[in-house]
Amino acid sequence: HDNHITKELKLEPSPEVTEKVGLDIMVHIAQRFESTDNAIFQTEVENLHPIPAVASRQIIDRLIAHGLLIVAGENADKLVPGH
């Protein structure tokens, strides 16, 4: 059952939120990868900050688009640092 309210919700995080959350996400993923050599589940990353998951996802998508994060895992549900 789809929730039409959240499916059509258009959230645009402010530039300040995007920068802070994006940096936090990149640091978290890099530290985890450096210490364990494992990719981190995207859902874990989306829950790092008290913002809607859809907003976290937008920020993650931007980081991926710019090559700062890479999608990994058998199901493409994990993230690793980019180059």
Side-chain angles (χ1 to χ4, degrees):
H1 146 94
D2 289 327
N3 183 335
H4 72 281
I5 295 171
T6 56
K7 272 184 86 167
E8 296 178 13
L9 185 61
K10 303 283 187 227
L11 290 178
E12 186 64 36
S14 71
E16 294 82 10
V17 168
T18 299
E19 183 178 345
K20 182 189 181 327
V21 171
L23 183 58
D24 287 349
I25 287 170
M26 290 187 330
V27 168
H28 183 80
I29 291 171
Q31 288 175 336
R32 173 75 65 87
F33 190 74
E34 187 175 287
S35 66
T36 66
D37 204 33
N38 290 325
I40 184 171
F41 280 101
Q42 192 165 312
T43 52
E44 180 182 338
V45 176
E46 290 173 356
N47 293 317
L48 287 175
H49 296 90
I51 63 173
V54 67
S56 288
R57 181 68 213 181
Q58 288 175 344
I59 294 168
I60 291 167
D61 286 346
R62 287 183 187 164
L63 295 171
I64 292 168
H66 291 288
L68 299 170
L69 295 177
I70 298 172
V71 177
E74 228 175 84
N75 299 317
D77 59 351
K78 297 182 178 182
L79 299 166
V80 295
H83 300 293

